[in-house]
Each structure stands twice: as structure tokens, then as C-alpha cells.
Amino acid sequence: MAAAPNGNVYVINFGSANVTVINSATNTVIATVPTGNSPSSVAVAPNGNVYVTNQSSANVTVIHSATDTVIATVPTGANPFKVAVAPNGNVYVANAGSANVTVIHSATNTVIATVPTGNFPGAVAVASTGNVFVANAGSATVSVINSTTNTVTDTVPVGTGPEALTVAPSGNVFVANTGANTVSVILPAPTVTSIDPAQGPATGGTVVTITGTNLSGATVTFNGNAATNLFYNAAGTQIIATAPAGVPGPATVVVTTAVGTVTLPGAFTYVAAPTTSGITPAQGPVAGGTLVTLTGTDLIGATVTVCGRPASNVIVNPAGTQITAITPPGTPGLCPVVVTTPSGTSTVPGGFTYLAVPVLTCVTPGQGPAAGGTVVTITGTGLTGATVTFNGVPATAVSVNPAGTQITATTPPGSPGTAAVTVTTPGGTATLACCFTYQAVITPHATSLTATPALIQLFPLQLHFPFLTATLTDTVTGLPVPGQIITFSTGGHFLGTAITDVNGTASLVEILSLPLIILNGGYDATFAGTPTLQPSTAHAPFLAL
């Protein structure tokens, strides 16, 4: 007999060719369902369908447990004796007269396989793993069928006349051998459902967890090399082991117990340790944010640290030969760069240098013409690799001393007024906004100098004053120019100087120079000029009275 999910109990009536249905809540008969001849075994599928083997009819009657009506009759081999249902819903019928098992799909009630067994298969039972055990009374063996592939995976010898069997919660199969008055106990073969993690370094040492069933006491190998530090849980469903060293690439994992072996090709992958060959650029500001590219091999799954601080935005190309990442903030100086993958670590040759932000202290000289061309010296710290701008316009001939404390540069043209001097290095920028002034270009005014002839009476010899005079005029404004020095000379001989008065006139009385003036035919007046006034000269003769 067997019970359906709704609680109804189905009792086979071998001599009556029917099944009695009993309501388990009231213990009353609620239906009698006709079957084939000689019904001998009954089982219920997870969907509620009831399967009854009919020995004399060589078929199976399928009853719908909700309506207690026959919904299908499925042909089997000769003398279908026992029936059992696997966890996946497949129904297994042991055909004692045909030495095989009929497999029925419980969703469609069609035959999906016929599996050969030993002689006179008279009992069938299913383990929680899905393995189907069939007792072959005529062969003194038990056939083990995989319910996923519906193939015989093992044939286990037992005592004479095995006619009944059952599967204990432990997975052990107990077989009653009626011809030998013994019970054989079959230990289940191991199964493996997962290995985690599924990869690790070729140097070995990865601690893996192998999950499955019947794993107690198992040995484990990776490509033939024994795993170490094996630990088994009490239920036999898990092994913790340490993978040995191996060759980069897929590895076959083999789990072996006293009663079976599970071979898992490619279940674990050995990964080579990463290597690195360089980083570009190899320097950047202490604020971080530098996008760097690292090259190497076996970089898949990498993380990157700079001076122990994690880089961000780490991206590895599919080939595992290149990483891009953004540097974290740091402190000035050289930092080790370390790449870490599940298979190991690699330190990047040369590392990464954090550059200090430049600091400016002085610009000398502090002024120059708006036309540019002034050679200036800029002092400070952290100036290595600098470029220089004045109000955003690049300076030329920029040179930095080896210590990074001084820059020489030539100013570009600019507009009159204060210019912001900005120094930019790979470490950042610094600006002095007050230390250099562009001076406006001043065009000096033209001047005119007129000299009055020296009046001399020869007989008797005497002077007529004023003696030597010269007047300076701004020709742009037409005004006299006071306060300027006028130099008087004759024939290359210096006579003296005088300063122009409010009328622009300078006068010099030098009696002792009279002979020279007569000798050289007069005298010269010279204005040397200033930044705002152009120079000018004048010649005055002497006039004899």
C-alpha cells in the first residue's frame, strides 16, 4: 500500500484486480479503482499520481489521486513486480520476467527508458541522492541506476536470492538475501555537487570545500597530486582540504572512498601568480587621482594598492595583461605599488612617486616691460618639471635647478599692470598674484633746443650779457621744459651746465672760456634726454660787434 499527498491510502488487491482507496481521516473506504490483472505493488509520485504494477497484464495503471480515476495505462516488461519513484518524479518498474526496469515520466505518463538489469529484478528502492537500487534475485546482485541519465552505474554482488531492499536515512542500502539467510549492506558511492573556490594559485595552498554525499574518509587528488589537511563533517556531506601545487590550467579532481570514485575533469583551475613589468605614469600629485596603467601577466581579478592604500576604478583587460586604476591620496615620496590576485601578489618595478604641490616664495625682478623679454628668477619648493605662465600666457626658456627650488624664465608679452605668475608641475599648481608688474611702454616727447649767439665786442674786448643761453621746448605740447640740465661745450671742451628755468631757459656765464668760443666759432648746447623727453642739441655762433 501507499499514501497519496491528500492522505488517501491505496491498497492493492492482488486477486481482485483493483485498488481499495481508504480515507485516512475517517478510516473508511471511499473508492474502489479497477486495475490490470494481479496488481502487486503501488507507489505515489510527487504530483499525486498513483502507480500500480499489474504482473499478469504487463502494465502499470495510473490513478489520479484527486479524483480516484484511472488516467493512463502504461505498458511495461513481463511480470512488473515492484515500483518506486525517484526524487525527480521518474517512476521505476522492476520487470521480473524481462530482466529490466521500465522508466515512466510521471508528468506525461510515457515510457522514457528501459534499463537492463540482472536476472529476475524483484525489488526496487530509491535513495535521496536519486540513485535507484534494483535487487536481482536470479543474479545475486544489485543494479545501481542513475536517475538523471537512466543508466546502470554499478552492479554490486550480494547474497543468494536478494528479494527485498530498503535505503536507510544514512544512505546505506540493506538487502535481504532469502537464499542465504543474510542481509547485505551496500555503502553508497560518493557524490560531489560543488568545489568552492573553483580556482587558486599554482603554488597550491588553496583551502577548498567539497560538498556532496557519502564523503567520509575520502581521499582527494588534483591532477593526481594528493590534497592535504582533510577534514570531514559528521554527516559525510563535506570535505575541507588544502589543494597541492599544480600547473596553471584546469585540473581534474578525484574523490575516492572505499566504495566508489568521483572524477571531476576541470573542476578546479590553477592560476599562475601575477607578474608586473611597469606603471605609467610613474608619478603624480599627493592629492591622488592620477590615472595609471600597469602592465604584466595573469592579472585577472587583481586589486591594486599604493603605499598600502587601495587604488580605485581598477579595470583589468580580458587578456589579464593590463590594469588601469586611479591612485589614492598619498604623501610626497616613492611608494610601492602591489598587485594582488587570487593567485598571489606582485610588486611593480619602480613604484610610484607622489609629488609635492609646488610652493612659491619670490619673483625677481618684480617688474618688466609689457613687451616681455624680462629674465626672472622664481624661487620656492617642489618646482621640478614646472611650466610657468604670466596671466595665463606661457613663459619661455623655462629652466629648473636640480633641487627643484629655483626657476629661470623669460616673460611673455603682457598688459600693463600686476600679472599672476602660475607654476604648474606634475604635483599641482601654485600662483603668486602680486609679485610681477608689467610696465607700460612710454614714448618720450620730442624736444627742441635753441641757443642764443654769444655777443662779443672785439675792440675793446668785452661781453654783452646774457652770455651763453639755451631754451628747451617740448615739441609735442609746445611748452617750455623747466628743471632740465643743459650742457654747454665748445670744440669738445666742456664749459659747464645750467638748469632750465620756468621759461625753459638755461644760462651760463663763463668768461674764462671766451677765447675757446672765439677760436671754435661759437658754442654747443646739449640736452641728454629723459625717459619722457627725447634728447636735443643746438649750436650758437658768436657775433662780433
Side-chain angles (χ1 to χ4, degrees):
M1 69 180 67
N6 61 8
N8 290 346
V9 177
Y10 293 81
V11 180
I12 54 175
N13 301 307
F14 184 84
S16 303
N18 59 30
V19 169
T20 297
V21 184
I22 300 173
N23 185 316
S24 61
T26 62
N27 294 321
T28 59
V29 173
I30 59 174
T32 299
V33 183
T35 64
N37 295 325
S38 306
S40 61
S41 180
V42 61
V44 180
N47 61 7
N49 288 346
V50 180
Y51 293 83
V52 180
T53 58
N54 304 306
Q55 289 188 44
S56 300
S57 302
N59 58 28
V60 169
T61 298
V62 185
I63 301 171
H64 190 264
S65 61
T67 61
D68 289 325
T69 58
V70 175
I71 58 174
T73 299
V74 183
T76 63
N79 195 14
F81 195 67
K82 293 291 183 180
V83 61
V85 180
N88 63 7
N90 289 346
V91 180
Y92 291 82
V93 179
N95 302 308
S98 300
N100 59 29
V101 169
T102 298
V103 184
I104 301 171
H105 191 270
S106 62
T108 61
N109 291 317
T110 57
V111 175
I112 58 173
T114 299
V115 183
T117 63
N119 294 327
F120 204 83
V124 61
V126 179
S128 60
T129 60
N131 283 343
V132 180
F133 297 86
V134 180
N136 305 306
S139 302
T141 60
V142 171
S143 298
V144 183
I145 301 172
N146 183 311
S147 62
T148 300
T149 62
N150 290 319
T151 57
V152 175
T153 59
D154 202 1
T155 299
V156 183
V158 293
T160 304
E163 293 187 358
L165 51 75
T166 189
V167 181
S170 65
N172 292 345
V173 180
F174 293 82
V175 184
N177 306 307
T178 58
N181 294 328
T182 60
V183 172
S184 298
V185 181
I186 301 173
L187 300 177
T191 67
V192 174
T193 56
S194 67
I195 298 178
D196 183 44
Q199 68 175 29
T203 53
T206 302
V207 177
V208 299
T209 299
I210 302 171
T211 302
T213 60
N214 311 310
L215 300 178
S216 296
T219 61
V220 181
T221 63
F222 290 70
N223 277 348
N225 299 314
T228 57
N229 303 322
L230 277 66
F231 172 80
Y232 313 91
N233 69 349
T237 59
Q238 198 172 79
I239 303 173
I240 297 175
T242 301
V247 177
T252 296
V253 179
V254 177
V255 178
T256 303
T257 68
V259 296
T261 296
V262 179
T263 301
L264 304 163
F268 186 85
T269 300
Y270 281 112
V271 181
T275 67
T276 52
S277 55
I279 182 171
T280 305
Q283 61 183 21
V286 293
T290 302
L291 178 64
V292 294
T293 299
L294 299 87
T295 54
T297 61
D298 301 298
L299 304 178
I300 298 296
T303 59
V304 179
T305 61
V306 185
C307 267
R309 293 178 287 267
S312 59
N313 296 81
V314 176
I315 300 174
V316 184
N317 70 346
T321 58
Q322 182 174 286
I323 301 172
T324 58
I326 295 177
T327 60
T331 55
L334 179 64
C335 272
V337 180
V338 178
V339 173
T340 302
T341 73
S343 301
T345 62
S346 176
T347 301
V348 181
F352 182 85
T353 299
Y354 281 110
L355 301 175
V357 177
V359 175
L360 305 181
T361 57
C362 184
V363 179
T364 56
Q367 61 185 17
T374 304
V375 177
V376 297
T377 299
I378 304 169
T379 56
T381 59
L383 306 180
T384 300
T387 60
V388 181
T389 63
F390 286 72
N391 279 345
V393 180
T396 58
V398 176
S399 177
V400 184
N401 71 346
T405 58
Q406 182 174 289
I407 303 170
T408 58
T410 301
T411 61
S415 300
T418 301
V421 181
T422 299
V423 171
T424 301
T425 73
T429 62
T431 299
L432 287 175
C434 62
C435 298
F436 186 83
T437 301
Y438 278 115
Q439 295 176 318
V441 176
I442 300 174
T443 303
H445 287 192
T447 60
S448 172
L449 189 63
T450 58
T452 303
L455 299 178
I456 303 172
Q457 182 176 315
L458 297 178
F459 301 103
L461 182 61
Q462 63 179 21
L463 296 176
H464 291 266
F465 293 95
F467 183 45
L468 305 179
T469 59
T471 301
L472 182 64
T473 304
D474 184 334
T475 61
V476 175
T477 64
L479 298 173
V481 181
Q484 302 299 320
I485 299 173
I486 306 299
T487 300
F488 295 89
S489 63
T490 182
H493 298 281
F494 174 74
L495 301 178
T497 60
I499 297 176
T500 57
D501 59 17
V502 293
N503 297 312
T505 301
S507 300
L508 177 67
V509 177
E510 181 54 76
I511 299 174
L512 297 177
S513 301
L514 178 60
L516 289 174
I517 295 172
I518 295 171
L519 179 64
N520 289 287
Y523 68 91
D524 297 312
T526 302
F527 170 58
T530 68
T532 59
L533 295 171
Q534 295 180 4
S536 58
T537 61
H539 177 76
F542 79 90
L543 297 179
L545 299 177

